[in-house]
Amino acid sequence: MEKTKRLFGFMAILAGVFFGLSESAFAQNWEQTYNELKAKIAREYSEPVDKGYITSVSKDLNEYLRWMGIKAADRNRAQGLSAAAGNAGNPFWEKKFLDLRDEAHNSGESTLWTGVSIFLRIESKGSGRGADDWQNAVFKSNYYGKPLYTRAKELSFDAPFVRETVRCLMRFALGSVETGHMSLYCDRRMEHGTQHDDEGNLIMPDIDFDINCLPRSAFHMASAGRVCIPTDVGLSWVEQIRDVCEWFQLHEANEATDLMNQFYEDSMCLAPPNVPKQGHRNFYRKLAQEYKLQKSIDYNKGFYGELYGKVEIEAKGRRVPAANAVVTVTIPNHGETRAAETDSEGNYEMKDVLLHKDCSPFKITAEHGQDKIVDSFDGPLEEPDPSYRHEKNLTIRKGDLLCTISWDFNWEDKAYDSNNSLRTREYGSVSVMATGIMRIRLKESSSLSEWYDPENFKISYVYASEFHDLKNKKCPSLKWKLKGSGSVEPRSGPISFLRIMQMGAMGNYLEFTLPGTELQTVKGRRQISVSHPDCKTYENHSREVVFGNLFMRLPVGKSGRISGSRSWSCGAFGGSPFHLSIAQFGNRSEYKPRESEPTKEHTADIKASWRFEKLKK
């Protein structure tokens, strides 16, 4: 027991000696630790610098993020040393290390501010670096602003400063995307100021400001300009700005939304959408829904109203109601249709029909049995009004024409040697027939012509040609041979029409145009070589040919009969494309291929017939 007491006493003496020595040694290191940390903070204050140019600041974002971490660590170390000095009952070093903590914190903030100045400033035209636009502002905010802001919040540096700098960038971006070089509007001009004096003069605010950092609400529109890009493209541009604003929780996101709604209203229907076969409902409304633009959704819905009217059939100068006729409206750009059936009096009503003026014209048809009218109307609404009722009456005129035009070409081209012996011979034939219906348009009161539009036209063709070399006795004379047939629709286009013109004392004339087919491939075979014995072997061969391209101007007989035929020859005829032109006006007649005397080398015979007759009902 006595031995144990002596052991505890000895250990207590050693502990006292140890703690006394430790406190004395640590007290002696306060100054050394302070000086070392102070020197480090001072030495690194200007970091990061470009190592290649000691006096130049770094342009590397990652260096700024790294040095902010280093300086935050120095700040935290100084904070810990200050707390240690306070716990040791040493207020002098407690205060000194607190001051050193502030220096380290200021050094870190200086690094952040320098980074913000370098990476997030707006470059003007005179900066020598190229002027910024909204795309640059969005890029800077995403690529530089977000990492700087996140790092500053994490390390308790001046994150609000980053946020306010990005706010300035986004305000600049909104102005740029509205009126800049690559913008929503062409020739739009916005000017600073929104208040006027009693005489109507604009009052300029008497403040110290950077005009690039003013909100959109601080400007007024001096010139509206015009929309110059499609709606979907413009909304996607502004959405990039709004995304940045929402990430930084800036109220400028609301200004971006306001601009998106305004652009949506200004641009809707002014240009076909970028996505094929989509229009007002399937494209524009979905855009508003995609970007969560409730104001635009309501705006879009407000242009759908009611269409009503009466359908009549006109025959022999009198009109009767077209009962049970089917009326169809086609919305442009995407083919959406609305349909209704007439009652016993020929009246129809159609709800939820697009009536937007800028989306016009709208195609409208009425069919009654085999009778049909194709017409159009312009939407009356310039502003939303879902209660609007628009009247559109239709008259079906019995007078559609069934058209049949056929023509045959037979040609032969020969080449002779100097001794007048036949060397080569190419010959061929093609028969073409175009058939279809020409639907009569509703006659305008001021027009002296009856206009018709093509429907269900087909061009049928049969083609054959071959080429012979008669001089090479070691090889077959046949060099190539082609043959083909088909029935296809003509190319679509505005040049397809028929009209009957009233020419006064000269009578009435019919004028008819129809485009030819797309390129048609006719197939056959040809020799693989001109030399013996390979010339006896043939390979696949093909040629692309256009059939059609019709133009006719013909007199209408006194009985209204429009039919006839014509045959002629020519001495210069190219075998492709096979088109036909017959123009008879007064005592003059012109034909293509041109009528001319056949020659020894070139001969072509053409025979054409045509018939335009009233469609039997």
Side-chain angles (χ1 to χ4, degrees):
M1 186 69 175
E2 185 64 29
K3 186 177 180 179
T4 303
K5 288 181 178 179
R6 285 200 301 268
L7 180 58
F8 276 119
F10 178 73
M11 292 176 64
I13 293 170
L14 286 177
V17 171
F18 172 77
F19 284 115
L21 290 173
S22 297
E23 184 176 350
S24 174
F26 196 76
Q28 291 176 0
N29 289 333
W30 287 126
E31 183 173 2
Q32 179 182 345
T33 303
Y34 174 83
N35 289 336
E36 289 175 354
L37 184 56
K38 181 177 179 64
K40 181 178 185 295
I41 292 171
R43 185 173 63 251
E44 296 173 349
Y45 193 91
S46 298
E47 293 289 354
V49 297
D50 189 333
K51 301 305 180 184
Y53 303 90
I54 301 300
T55 58
S56 176
V57 296
S58 174
K59 303 297 191 300
D60 185 346
L61 173 66
N62 290 325
E63 282 295 285
Y64 285 86
L65 302 178
R66 185 174 73 87
W67 276 103
M68 286 168 64
I70 292 172
K71 295 180 179 186
D74 290 343
R75 177 196 63 196
N76 296 341
R77 185 184 176 207
Q79 176 75 39
L81 289 168
S82 174
N87 291 335
N90 197 328
F92 175 79
W93 288 112
E94 179 183 14
K95 177 65 168 62
K96 294 288 282 185
F97 280 113
L98 278 178
D99 293 340
L100 199 56
R101 176 203 63 182
D102 293 341
E103 289 182 29
H105 183 77
N106 290 340
S107 177
E109 299 241 287
S110 176
T111 296
L112 173 63
W113 296 336
T114 302
V116 169
S117 175
I118 290 172
F119 299 118
L120 298 180
R121 67 182 167 196
I122 300 172
E123 301 290 357
S124 61
K125 290 183 179 180
S127 65
R129 299 180 180 86
D132 277 334
D133 58 16
W134 68 267
Q135 291 175 299
N136 299 122
V138 169
F139 173 80
K140 288 179 177 182
S141 300
N142 284 322
Y143 190 80
Y144 299 115
K146 289 180 179 179
L148 286 170
Y149 180 79
T150 301
R151 189 67 164 154
K153 282 192 71 174
E154 174 190 338
L155 301 174
S156 299
F157 286 132
D158 193 0
F161 178 71
V162 183
R163 184 169 177 266
E164 291 307 306
T165 305
V166 171
R167 185 193 303 276
C168 178
L169 274 172
M170 292 301 97
R171 289 178 173 181
F172 164 78
L174 286 171
S176 173
V177 78
E178 185 173 5
T179 64
H181 175 67
M182 185 177 176
S183 59
L184 310 177
Y185 298 91
C186 296
D187 303 322
R188 171 166 287 194
R189 194 173 82 256
M190 303 292 287
E191 292 183 354
H192 177 233
T194 58
Q195 296 181 337
H196 297 78
D197 60 20
D198 294 338
E199 297 180 357
N201 299 312
L202 186 67
I203 302 174
M204 295 299 293
D206 185 17
I207 56 174
D208 183 17
F209 58 85
D210 180 351
I211 197 166
N212 287 323
C213 296
L214 291 177
R216 186 168 176 264
S217 57
F219 296 83
H220 70 277
M221 188 187 301
S223 175
R226 69 186 189 282
V227 169
C228 53
I229 60 168
T231 309
D232 56 338
V233 176
L235 293 182
S236 70
W237 288 359
V238 187
E239 176 68 359
Q240 296 177 52
I241 300 171
R242 188 169 69 168
D243 282 345
V244 173
C245 293
E246 289 176 345
W247 194 92
F248 282 93
Q249 297 182 335
L250 303 173
H251 65 75
E252 279 71 18
N254 297 329
E255 293 200 344
T257 300
D258 290 342
L259 179 56
M260 293 172 79
N261 280 319
Q262 178 185 328
F263 179 70
Y264 183 92
E265 295 179 11
D266 292 342
S267 64
M268 187 171 64
C269 287
L270 289 186
N274 286 341
V275 183
K277 296 184 179 180
Q278 294 193 358
H280 196 275
R281 191 194 307 267
N282 292 339
F283 181 76
Y284 290 104
R285 186 178 299 178
K286 286 184 178 179
L287 270 180
Q289 293 168 344
E290 175 186 347
Y291 291 109
K292 297 180 175 61
L293 302 173
Q294 188 58 50
K295 183 178 178 182
S296 294
I297 294 171
D298 296 339
Y299 183 83
N300 178 285
K301 291 180 178 179
F303 285 99
Y304 287 83
E306 183 176 337
L307 184 70
Y308 71 99
K310 186 169 187 175
V311 181
E312 295 179 305
I313 297 175
E314 181 182 287
K316 298 181 180 180
R318 58 188 294 269
R319 293 185 179 188
V320 295
N324 305 119
V326 177
V327 181
T328 305
V329 174
T330 302
I331 309 303
N333 296 332
H334 67 106
E336 178 187 342
T337 60
R338 306 290 292 171
E341 188 174 293
T342 61
D343 60 19
S344 60
E345 297 298 320
N347 298 312
Y348 74 92
E349 289 186 355
M350 200 180 300
K351 298 184 183 298
D352 198 30
V353 178
L354 181 61
L355 299 176
H356 196 306
K357 179 179 179 180
D358 289 336
C359 298
S360 304
F362 302 108
K363 179 182 176 181
I364 183 169
T365 64
E367 295 184 74
H368 186 264
Q370 290 185 312
D371 298 318
K372 183 177 181 180
I373 176 67
V374 179
D375 200 358
S376 65
F377 68 93
D378 291 332
L381 293 181
E382 297 185 35
E383 294 296 331
D385 183 0
S387 64
Y388 195 90
R389 299 181 78 244
H390 182 66
E391 183 178 9
K392 176 62 181 177
N393 298 318
L394 297 164
T395 302
I396 299 174
R397 301 180 66 203
K398 287 184 174 292
D400 294 341
L401 298 178
L402 178 63
C403 309
T404 305
I405 306 100
S406 62
W407 63 105
D408 299 316
F409 294 85
N410 293 277
W411 75 94
E412 184 176 34
D413 293 333
K414 299 177 181 179
Y416 295 86
D417 286 335
S418 57
N419 62 2
N420 209 29
S421 62
L422 184 62
R423 185 174 73 251
T424 63
R425 176 173 178 253
E426 178 185 348
Y427 59 90
S429 64
V430 62
S431 297
V432 182
M433 177 179 288
T435 59
I437 297 171
M438 300 302 292
R439 295 288 187 188
I440 192 167
R441 297 182 196 172
L442 184 62
K443 186 175 180 181
E444 301 289 343
S445 59
S446 59
S447 175
L448 296 178
S449 301
E450 288 184 346
W451 290 85
Y452 299 75
D453 295 309
E455 184 177 292
N456 299 327
F457 260 85
K458 291 286 186 180
I459 296 179
S460 303
Y461 63 89
V462 177
Y463 173 93
S465 66
E466 51 188 81
F467 181 84
H468 291 262
D469 184 347
L470 305 176
K471 289 297 184 180
N472 192 344
K473 300 302 182 182
K474 293 183 178 181
C475 297
S477 66
L478 179 65
K479 294 299 182 182
W480 56 258
K481 183 176 182 178
L482 294 166
K483 190 175 182 179
S485 63
S487 180
V488 295
E489 295 181 358
R491 299 189 309 274
S492 61
I495 60 172
S496 303
F497 67 86
L498 183 150
R499 64 173 174 170
I500 296 178
M501 304 174 290
Q502 298 179 18
M503 305 296 291
M506 298 185 67
N508 296 341
Y509 276 81
L510 172 145
E511 191 172 83
F512 173 73
T513 65
L514 186 73
T517 66
E518 301 288 354
L519 287 169
Q520 301 297 305
T521 302
V522 291
K523 298 179 180 180
R525 59 194 180 104
R526 66 181 175 186
Q527 291 176 340
I528 64 172
S529 174
V530 296
S531 302
H532 182 78
D534 291 338
C535 60
K536 296 182 179 181
T537 303
Y538 289 82
E539 63 182 357
N540 292 333
H541 179 46
S542 65
R543 176 185 294 175
E544 291 187 324
V545 185
V546 173
F547 301 97
N549 292 332
L550 278 166
F551 173 77
M552 307 188 81
R553 182 181 290 125
L554 304 166
V556 179
K558 293 182 179 180
S559 63
R561 182 172 176 269
I562 313 172
S563 62
S565 62
R566 179 75 168 87
S567 299
W568 70 97
S569 300
C570 64
F573 169 69
S576 178
F578 298 102
H579 60 266
L580 177 71
S581 176
I582 299 177
Q584 299 178 357
F585 194 75
N587 296 324
R588 295 182 58 189
S589 297
E590 293 183 0
Y591 305 95
K592 290 183 181 179
R594 292 187 182 278
E595 186 174 16
S596 60
E597 287 294 326
T599 66
K600 180 180 179 181
E601 292 82 10
H602 306 290
T603 301
D605 294 315
I606 303 99
K607 181 179 181 180
S609 63
W610 57 90
R611 185 177 184 85
F612 299 87
E613 57 185 334
K614 296 290 185 180
L615 186 65
K616 295 180 181 180
K617 305 301 181 179

